[in-house]
């Protein structure tokens, strides 16, 4: 039954040899791996403008309109640099693993584990943030459509969302790619339409409508006080601009996903992944620049400004599309897209987890390939952690966002540093140029990471700053255990001549003489070695009967009676084993526990669990093997009449 | 650690031979077994008066003052008859079990199971009602003392109360008897003082104070309407009197506890139990009659009357003692005593459960004697069920009371009918007289049961009416299973010459060649029979290496490679077993699973659970024995520096 349910939910197992067919063409790989990165256009501009709104207090009221577009261009430039770096990483490491592999190969296992921890955290946060943002969007849609009469529980919606995405991913990479492609491409087209229509209105048509009336815009403008224009303000101003830049860099999160999942691409995987990455960067740049340009020209304000209720992208949508169907569609697609962005992390987390596990820094089971050729345990771990985090943080995006992005930029930095090292080592044609680009990129992403970590330290980034080293320590400890185990189990210096078959003593536990026990005795005698029956006495009357039956059926086997003053079964047996093992060291002892198995589970509840208790008690004992010999009881067919016979027998007697 | 906690909470194990010392002297047995019965004086009179208050609408305004005392005398008469019956039962059945044993011996197993079900339900309800009533009393005490500022959660208090009583009982019968004796005797003395003082005031002193002012008493009096005095009213009046009689019979619940637990008494157990029972009946009669007499003479009214807030016993206490210390003590002792009354059920339920289990109608484990010579599983079952019931019914006494007492009177009736049958059969001296008393008692208790069941049917008694047959069916089904199992396991017609030691095939699962696997191979070779290594191939590269190592270490053992296209370990092994077993029927197959055990639990999480999965898959297979051969890994000592060495090695290489 659980098997049938499993089949229904995630489909039939796929054979290993079909793996090649499950690979993704570029047209499906883009939505699977790039939706996280692309979905960030839904909020990156807004985050940047929110930072500039604060900057305005020091830098003058025009900060937003002055700096939004230049900073956006700067971010796109950084995007180009990072993508260029990663393109080279993908081509150099077609086996996947992205920043982790780059770090592992060029900088060593320690930096690699730092990258691994940072990326795993970031994937987890991507899922939590995207799903939470998506379900908040769904809630406001429902509220708007029902005029506030119908409300939904965001946590519940988020958990259902996680459940659906988990099932999609357990079904397999390719199937989830197909299902996700439609809304992703619809979103891209809708956003391109928005940008096209906006530019048309601005340059060709009668000019753009304003999202906010001039008086709202005026009111929201910060009133520069005494600081504006002083030398000190100029210094702080640089920091604030960096803050805005770092906030806008939210647009870059998720672009590493392709480099991790290269192996999911069709052959030639490296080339295909590199091409998909360029597409992604192109689309992302156009969308991001377009949104930033229009945001400035429709007088959009960040949600944090007074009197503003819509997101920046919604303000643009309303100004360009008006209040009609297109605007509603934009809103719905944004919500859906945010939920789907989580899917990128569902592709990345298990893949990265498997790579780290293969290196022996995470539990090996994470590298197991499941029924549907996906790393199903990693998917389940991610879904569970994200579910718990969302439930704990009540699906509140503003509590989750500050944890976000430090990890990604840390991994960008380390990966690019690794590539610099690679070029310096290999000195392949153009190495100087490549190393310069990667070095410049590494420096920039390092600065962005520092700004993020410092600016958002108190509001949650500290957790990530603490968590990454802690995780790295755990990874190293796991690795040390695997190494120690491997050394202990290794047969390298093992001398085959030491393999001497030990003598054998077989002890069979005898609660009473039944067919099941006789069956177990037969089994015991089919093993080599001396066989003894062991009875632990709790009732002297039973012992007497037992002895009689024993002589009748097993006259040639010795029977040992152990007293048990405290009615425990475990203690006398352990004491007897001590005796046997000290008398005859190097003897292999097998303890046989006869067991009967009833056909129904409830029937087994009617029998003592002595066998289980003994088994647990003997778990840690060396040179003792515990064996259950089962006697299967046949199904009994009992009618009500049969059950009442018990009374008839009584009446008959009297 | 759990062991140390266990020791602290319930004490050290007690040896079986000390059992005789754990028996109770009469002075301790009385509080243990009779507190339930005696605590009912706290509410029985009130219940009866509440029924008479309703009767007053038909029978005239004087119903309470007219009928309370005669009905009380009638109830005491019934008590005398029932106790006389049970005294005989105790003497005839010194092995304990009370009504259950009487029914089992004289009427057969079916009536015995009905009694068993009825009594088990009633014990459960005794615990729930007593604890709930007690914690309600504690709450009103706290509220009164704090002037309504401090409130307590009744459910929580009730659950804590259950926890404490459970621990006391797990410590053992005698210790709980000692702890309970003090408040029980204090309560009896206080109540006797109350009755003595009241009688003194009434007959010798200046007369009793009235609990309710004449005008309150007047107002509460029902106004008889047209029905009073008509023929129809007379007919219904009999029913209403019966109702009042039945309600007052709450005083009789719990008197059967002594007869169930006879074995806990010191020798001669039967005689001691019979004496204790007479004491109990005497004390109970005096207290009950005294309370009823005073209730009428202080103009007490039931809590259900308008304007009345105190229980009947509290009204008497206030009238006799005034508002001082003695009144407060009476209230506190009543509350404590109600909670302790639950203790009786904690003595009765496990004892009865063990007797039924020994007869094979309940899971055998209930008959096991625990560390402290008590039926610890029965105690835990009772505590769990009562806890759930209290939690579900929110510790509300009024929801629980209607379920109560039907079961007890059913068991009274059956037990007395059983005794009648016994006298008719044995014809021992005085049999006619004994049979008459028991027959009369059986008839009366049967009527009381019917009245209870009918009057309270809709308010909850239906549940008991449904539950008892359902439980009896379950008991019978369990018994049928044990019988079927016994027949299947029985060696009665077993022919020893059929015991032929089977041939043996030993299959060792080989994931890879390690010291652990070599150890398992040694074990396999120490068994008789053919040994084969089985490798389930999931990675062809590993297979090649495996073959090489196999030839090196185990050249004389055959190795079977099983392909696994869907990466499952279970399916190929099951198919192979099918093959082996169909080729060579009657061969005993042992599957050996090499396992390594790491010293820490978390380390074992780092290794696959393939062994467990295989074990579960092979559970139901006949003629296959699964054996784990464990290889114990040594403790590894890893410092931070050791962990970081992984990076040093990398740096050294480059």
């Amino acid at each position: 039954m659980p098997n049938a349910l499993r089949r229904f939910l995630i489909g039939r197992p796929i054979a290993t040899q079909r793996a090649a067919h499950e690979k993704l063409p570029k047209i499906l790989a883009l939505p699977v791996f790039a939706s996280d990165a692309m979905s960030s256009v839904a909020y990156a501009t807004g985050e940047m403008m929110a930072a500039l709104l604060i900057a305005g207090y020091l830098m003058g009221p025009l900060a937003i309109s002055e700096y939004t577009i230049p900073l956006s261009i700067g971010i796109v430039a950084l995007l180009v640099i990072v993508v260029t770096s990663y393109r080279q990483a993908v081509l150099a490491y077609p086996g996947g693993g992205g920043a982790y592999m780059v770090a592992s190969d060029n900088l060593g296992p320690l930096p690699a584990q730092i990258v691994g921890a940072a990326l795993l955290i970031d994937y987890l946060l991507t899922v939590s943030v995207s799903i939470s943002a998506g379900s908040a969007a769904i809630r406001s849609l429902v509220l708007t459509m029902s005029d506030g009469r119908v409300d939904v529980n965001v946590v519940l919606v988020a958990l259902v969302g996680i459940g659906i995405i988990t099932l999609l991913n357990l079904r397999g990479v390719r199937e989830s790619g197909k299902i996700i492609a439609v809304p992703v491409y619809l979103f891209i087209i809708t956003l391109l339409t928005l940008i096209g229509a906006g530019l048309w209105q601005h340059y060709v048509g009668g000019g753009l409508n304003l999202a906010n009336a001039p008086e709202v815009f005026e009111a929201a403008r910060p009133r520069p006080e005494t600081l504006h224009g002083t030398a000190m303000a100029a210094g702080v101003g640089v920091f604030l601009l960096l803050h805005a830049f770092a906030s806008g860099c939210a647009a870059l999160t998720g672009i590493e996903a392709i480099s991790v999942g290269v192996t999911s691409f069709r052959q030639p995987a490296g080339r295909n992944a590199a091409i998909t990455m360029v597409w992604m960067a192109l689309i992302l740049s156009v969308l991001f620049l377009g949104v930033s340009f229009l945001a400035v020209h429709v007088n959009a304000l960040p949600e944090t400004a007074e009197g503003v209720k819509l997101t920046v992208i919604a303000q643009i949508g309303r100004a360009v599309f008006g209040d009609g169907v297109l605007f509603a569609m934009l809103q719905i697609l944004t919500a859906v897209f945010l939920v789907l962005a989580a899917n990128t992390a569902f592709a990345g987390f298990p893949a990265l987890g498997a790579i780290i596990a293969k290196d022996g820094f995470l539990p090996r089971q994470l590298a197991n390939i499941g029924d549907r050729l996906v790393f199903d345990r990693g998917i389940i771990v991610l879904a569970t952690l994200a579910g718990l985090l969302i439930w704990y943080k009540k699906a509140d995006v503003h509590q989750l966002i500050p944890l976000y992005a430090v990890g990604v930029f840390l991994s960008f930095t380390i990966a690019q540093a690794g590539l610099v090292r690679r070029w310096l080592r290999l000195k392949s044609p153009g190495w100087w140029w490549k190393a310069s680009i990667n070095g410049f990129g590494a420096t920039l992403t390092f600065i962005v990471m520092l700004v993020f970590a410092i600016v958002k330290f108190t509001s949650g980034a500290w957790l990530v700053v603490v968590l990454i080293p802690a995780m790295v320590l755990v990874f190293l400890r796991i690795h040390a255990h695997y190494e120690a185990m491997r050394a202990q189990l290794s047969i390298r210096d093992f001398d085959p001549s030491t393999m001497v078959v030990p003598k054998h003593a077989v002890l069979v536990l005898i609660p009473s003489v039944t067919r099941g026990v006789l069956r177990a005795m037969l089994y015991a005698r089919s093993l080599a070695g001396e066989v003894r029956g062991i009875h632990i006495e709790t009732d002297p009357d039973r012992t007497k009967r037992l002895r009689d039956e024993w002589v009748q059926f097993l006259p040639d086997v010795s029977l040992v009676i152990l007293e048990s003053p405290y009615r425990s079964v475990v203690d006398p047996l352990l004491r007897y084993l001590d005796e046997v093992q000290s008398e005859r060291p190097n003897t292999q002892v097998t303890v046989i526990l006869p067991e009967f198995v009833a056909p129904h589970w409830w029937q087994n509840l009617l029998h003592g669990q002595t066998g289980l208790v003994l088994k647990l008690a003997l778990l840690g004992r060396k040179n003792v093997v515990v064996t259950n010999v089962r006697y299967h009881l046949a199904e009994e067919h009992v009618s009500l009449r049969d059950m009442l016979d018990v009374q008839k027998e009584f009446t008959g007697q009297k």
Side-chain angles (χ1 to χ4, degrees), chain A:
Chain A
M1 197 50 206
N3 244 330
L5 184 67
R6 194 184 161 87
R7 287 274 158 92
F8 171 74
L9 288 174
I10 70 168
R12 300 160 57 81
I14 305 175
T16 315
Q17 57 183 20
R18 284 215 33 170
H21 300 279
E22 291 298 312
K23 301 295 185 184
L24 291 168
K26 295 190 283 293
I27 190 93
L28 289 183
L30 187 73
V32 168
F33 288 107
S35 45
D36 175 19
M38 292 194 294
S39 74
S40 53
V41 295
Y43 53 81
T45 303
E47 291 279 312
M48 185 167 60
M49 289 174 106
L52 285 173
L53 188 71
I54 299 167
Y57 288 98
L58 282 177
M59 309 179 64
L62 289 173
I64 287 184
S65 25
E66 236 172 79
Y67 293 109
T68 296
I69 295 174
L71 283 178
S72 297
I73 293 171
I75 288 165
V76 167
L78 182 58
L79 172 70
V80 169
I81 290 168
V82 173
V83 166
T84 310
S85 287
Y86 269 77
R87 220 186 129 261
Q88 285 166 358
V90 162
L91 290 170
Y93 298 95
Y100 178 85
M101 280 307 293
V102 175
S104 171
D105 195 46
N106 298 297
L107 303 172
L110 190 59
Q113 298 323 311
I114 296 171
V115 168
L119 282 181
L120 288 181
I121 291 178
D122 231 77
Y123 284 133
L124 171 60
L125 289 168
T126 299
V127 173
S128 310
V129 168
S130 302
I131 297 269
S132 298
S135 68
I138 287 169
R139 175 168 178 258
S140 61
L141 259 177
V142 171
L143 274 175
T144 314
M145 277 161 50
S146 71
D147 267 333
R149 272 165 305 173
V150 183
D151 200 354
V152 293
N153 182 326
V154 277
V155 176
L156 199 69
V157 171
L159 294 180
V160 170
I162 286 189
I164 292 170
I165 292 188
T166 304
L167 281 182
L168 285 182
N169 279 278
L170 287 176
R171 285 196 81 91
V173 166
R174 187 162 164 165
E175 293 210 28
S176 71
K178 271 188 212 161
I179 295 171
I180 279 159
V182 179
V184 170
Y185 284 116
L186 262 181
F187 176 76
I188 294 173
I189 291 167
T190 309
L191 215 56
L192 286 175
T193 309
L194 175 73
I195 292 165
L199 292 178
W200 174 271
Q201 289 172 11
H202 183 64
Y203 287 113
V204 185
L208 280 161
N209 292 320
L210 292 187
N212 298 292
E215 55 274 20
V216 175
F217 197 70
E218 265 317 305
R221 277 187 165 189
R223 302 276 155 263
E225 306 295 334
T226 47
L227 280 169
H228 180 40
T230 66
M232 188 196 153
V236 182
V238 171
F239 179 80
L240 286 175
L241 274 187
L242 276 176
H243 179 193
F245 182 76
S247 298
C249 281
L252 270 71
T253 61
I255 61 172
E256 81 295 344
I258 289 178
S259 68
V260 174
V262 184
T263 47
S264 296
F265 282 74
R266 284 215 181 131
Q267 288 301 337
R271 220 181 88 85
N272 281 328
I275 292 172
T276 309
M277 203 174 239
V278 173
W279 283 6
M280 176 194 71
L282 203 68
I283 297 172
L284 181 54
S285 304
V286 169
L287 296 183
F288 181 60
L289 282 178
V291 167
S292 292
F293 179 85
L294 289 179
V296 172
H297 288 92
V298 300
N299 276 5
L301 281 170
E303 269 181 291
T304 46
E306 238 183 278
V308 176
K309 276 180 189 155
L310 292 173
T311 60
V312 166
I313 208 158
Q315 292 172 49
I316 299 171
R318 207 170 195 177
V320 174
F321 288 153
D323 255 343
V325 179
L326 276 172
F327 173 63
M329 194 171 144
L330 177 71
Q331 288 288 82
I332 293 170
L333 280 171
T334 308
V336 173
F337 197 50
L338 278 168
V339 175
L340 288 182
N343 197 65
T344 300
F346 267 95
F349 184 101
L352 181 60
I355 292 169
I356 301 177
K358 256 183 210 149
D359 284 355
F361 290 91
L362 270 179
R364 292 247 169 97
Q365 296 95 309
L366 290 176
N368 283 2
I369 299 171
D371 278 357
R372 300 277 297 179
L373 290 174
V374 292
F375 300 111
D376 47 3
R377 294 170 199 220
I379 292 173
I380 288 163
V381 168
L382 174 60
T384 309
L385 290 177
L388 286 175
L389 188 59
I390 285 178
W391 177 72
Y392 178 65
K393 291 285 190 185
K394 303 200 175 67
D396 182 353
V397 179
H398 299 291
Q399 285 194 55
L400 292 163
I401 278 274
L403 309 175
Y404 201 40
V406 172
V408 184
F409 278 84
L410 178 57
S411 70
F412 285 164
T413 307
I414 295 178
Q416 293 183 102
L419 286 173
V420 171
R421 181 108 191 250
R422 180 182 173 87
W423 309 138
L424 294 180
R425 200 179 72 230
L426 295 181
K427 307 244 159 120
S428 51
W431 67 271
W432 199 87
W433 175 236
K434 285 176 179 172
S436 304
I437 288 184
N438 292 153
F440 180 64
T443 313
L444 271 184
T445 51
F446 182 67
I447 291 170
V448 172
M449 181 198 75
L450 276 188
V451 172
F452 246 105
I454 293 166
V455 170
K456 309 211 164 166
F457 190 81
T458 49
S459 51
W462 68 268
L463 186 66
V464 177
V465 172
V466 170
L467 209 54
I468 290 177
M471 280 173 71
V472 170
L473 272 183
V474 170
F475 291 1
L476 291 176
R477 184 67 189 82
I478 289 174
H479 188 255
H481 167 68
Y482 280 131
E483 288 296 303
M485 190 196 75
R486 213 161 50 125
Q488 285 190 47
L489 288 174
S490 164
I491 49 169
R492 194 176 292 179
D493 304 315
F494 186 76
D495 178 4
S497 68
T498 60
M499 283 176 63
V500 182
V501 177
K503 283 194 183 167
H504 205 153
V506 182
L507 309 179
V508 187
L509 211 75
I510 313 285
S512 60
V513 179
T514 63
R515 281 174 190 245
V517 166
L518 292 179
R519 163 88 184 73
M521 285 304 298
L522 273 188
Y523 179 80
R525 293 164 85 178
S526 84
L527 312 176
E530 191 201 336
V531 177
R532 288 184 202 170
I534 308 289
H535 176 70
I536 294 158
E537 177 179 82
T538 47
D539 176 353
D541 295 341
R542 275 173 65 184
T543 311
K544 213 194 138 292
R545 207 179 69 202
L546 180 77
R547 275 189 206 278
D548 295 343
E549 292 171 340
W550 190 265
V551 171
Q552 189 189 342
F553 287 94
L554 299 154
D556 49 341
V557 183
S558 58
L559 174 67
V560 179
I561 308 284
L562 302 176
E563 285 186 8
S564 176
Y566 294 97
R567 302 167 303 285
S568 158
V569 184
V570 173
D571 299 341
L573 184 66
L574 289 181
R575 267 197 305 277
Y576 184 69
L577 281 175
D578 286 342
E579 228 171 83
V580 170
Q581 289 189 306
S582 68
E583 262 171 30
R584 296 188 284 180
N586 302 323
T587 297
Q588 169 67 52
V589 178
T590 296
V591 175
I592 291 189
L593 305 174
E595 238 182 31
F596 47 88
V597 184
H600 296 294
W601 64 268
W602 65 266
Q603 293 168 337
N604 287 313
L605 297 182
L606 298 177
H607 306 293
Q609 304 306 317
T610 319
L612 193 65
V613 172
L614 280 172
K615 210 154 191 180
L616 287 174
L618 296 173
L619 259 191
R621 241 184 139 93
K622 290 186 187 176
N623 291 323
V624 172
V625 169
V626 180
T627 298
N628 292 96
V629 178
R630 288 156 193 283
Y631 187 76
H632 291 266
L633 294 174
E635 176 100 44
E636 72 226 26
H637 295 283
V638 182
S639 67
L640 183 61
R641 181 173 296 192
D642 296 337
M643 291 200 270
L644 292 174
D645 272 355
V646 71
Q647 178 68 14
K648 219 158 79 187
E649 279 162 32
F650 175 85
T651 320
Q653 278 169 24
K654 301 275 159 157

